[in-house]
Amino acid sequence: MKILAVDDEDSIRELLSIQLQKNGYEVLTAADGQAALVKARAADLIILDVMMPKVDGFAVCRQLKSDTLTMAIPIIMLTAKAEEIDKVLGLELGADDYLVKPFSLRELMARIKAVMRRTKQNNVPPQQILHVGELQLDIASYQAIIKGQPLPLTPKEFELLKLLLTNPDKAFSRDELLTHIWGYEYYGDTRTVDVHIRHLRAKLTVAPELADAIETVRSVGYRFSSR
C-alpha cells in the first residue's frame, strides 16, 4: 500500500516516512500542493497538510475529490489550525479524517487503519448500479445520473445518499450517519451531517420527489422515505 505524505516541513515528511515505512507502508512524499497533485494518482491514501505554499491543502483536497480518477483516494488532513470551522471545511471538501498538529504517531496509524477499513467496507462489485425513480447510482464509479444528466456529488454526499437509499424508511441518527460515513472520530460533531443533507437536497431539486423523500426525523436524524 502506497501512502503519499504531503507537508512543507522537511522534518514532518521525514518523521512520517520513517513511521509509515516502519509499519509496512510504501511512502511517497511531496513538499507542496502542486507536487501532491502530480503524485496523487499513484497513492492509495494521502496524508495532506493544510498550510502549504503554492497550493494549500484545502485546494488540493477540493481538486482531488472533484476528479473521478482521484476522488475515491482517502485523505487525512493535518493542520496546526484547531478552529472548528477549518475542520468542518476539510470534511465538507471530502476529507476522510482530520488531525491537528502536534499529533500522536500512534493515533495517526490508528486513523489510517480506520480510514482504510471504511474504504474497504464501501467497496462493492463493479456491476452494482442502484436505480431509485429517475436517479441512477453507479456504486463502483461513484457516479450519479438523474434524468439522464450527471449529478455532481462529493464522495461523502454520494456515500450518504447511497446509505439512505439502500436502507429505505430506516431512520438514522446523526451519530449513526457520522459512524457510517465519517467514522468514530466525529461523535458529537453533527453539524457536518446537517450540511451534507442540505447540499444533497439542494442538488436533488431537479427531481423534487427525491429531494422531499430525504426526511428529517424530529429528535432523531434522517431517513429516505419510500412512500
Side-chain angles (χ1 to χ4, degrees):
M1 174 178 166
K2 292 182 181 179
I3 295 180
L4 173 60
V6 187
D7 199 293
D8 62 331
E9 295 184 41
D10 295 343
S11 59
I12 297 294
R13 291 199 310 278
E14 183 178 358
L15 179 65
L16 289 172
S17 294
I18 293 172
Q19 186 68 21
L20 291 168
Q21 289 171 356
K22 187 183 298 184
N23 281 268
Y25 299 111
E26 185 176 346
V27 183
L28 306 172
T29 61
D32 58 64
Q34 287 183 353
L37 290 170
V38 172
K39 297 182 178 182
R41 293 183 184 179
D44 299 303
L45 181 143
I46 300 170
I47 299 172
L48 179 62
D49 187 31
V50 169
M51 303 301 292
M52 294 185 297
K54 299 181 181 179
V55 183
D56 68 26
F58 290 137
V60 173
C61 183
R62 182 185 295 109
Q63 185 164 333
L64 292 177
K65 291 300 184 178
S66 63
D67 185 338
T68 56
L69 295 175
T70 55
M71 67 190 320
I73 300 173
I75 295 176
I76 299 176
M77 302 198 79
L78 301 179
T79 182
K81 290 187 174 183
E83 290 85 353
E84 183 183 11
I85 187 64
D86 296 310
K87 178 177 180 179
V88 171
L89 176 58
L91 296 175
E92 289 179 2
L93 289 174
D96 297 85
D97 208 339
Y98 195 104
L99 277 177
V100 177
K101 296 177 180 179
F103 55 87
S104 158
L105 288 172
R106 179 177 295 179
E107 181 180 7
L108 176 60
M109 292 304 114
R111 298 289 183 100
I112 290 171
K113 291 178 181 177
V115 167
M116 294 309 299
R117 185 164 56 247
R118 294 199 302 272
T119 301
K120 289 179 181 178
Q121 289 172 348
N122 287 331
N123 285 341
V124 294
Q127 299 304 315
Q128 187 170 343
I129 296 178
L130 180 64
H131 295 271
V132 179
E134 296 180 283
L135 175 67
Q136 173 181 305
L137 290 185
D138 187 329
I139 307 298
S141 65
Y142 270 65
Q143 292 182 322
I145 303 293
I146 191 165
K147 294 186 175 180
Q149 298 297 319
L151 185 66
L153 300 178
T154 67
K156 286 291 182 284
E157 289 169 354
F158 188 96
E159 291 174 13
L160 183 56
L161 182 58
K162 179 182 73 173
L163 180 66
L164 293 173
L165 294 181
T166 53
N167 294 275
D169 302 315
K170 173 179 171 57
F172 288 93
S173 70
R174 291 172 174 82
D175 281 337
E176 285 178 317
L177 292 173
L178 285 170
T179 299
H180 280 288
I181 307 302
W182 287 271
Y184 69 91
E185 295 89 354
Y186 302 112
Y187 280 142
D189 187 14
T190 58
R191 186 171 65 172
T192 193
V193 172
D194 297 329
V195 169
H196 279 72
I197 289 290
R198 185 169 69 249
H199 289 174
L200 266 179
R201 285 171 171 161
K203 291 179 179 181
L204 288 170
T205 52
V206 292
E209 68 282 0
L210 290 174
D212 294 341
I214 300 179
E215 298 177 343
T216 300
V217 182
R218 188 174 180 180
S219 301
V220 179
Y222 299 98
R223 71 177 169 218
F224 182 83
S225 174
S226 62
R227 294 181 290 279

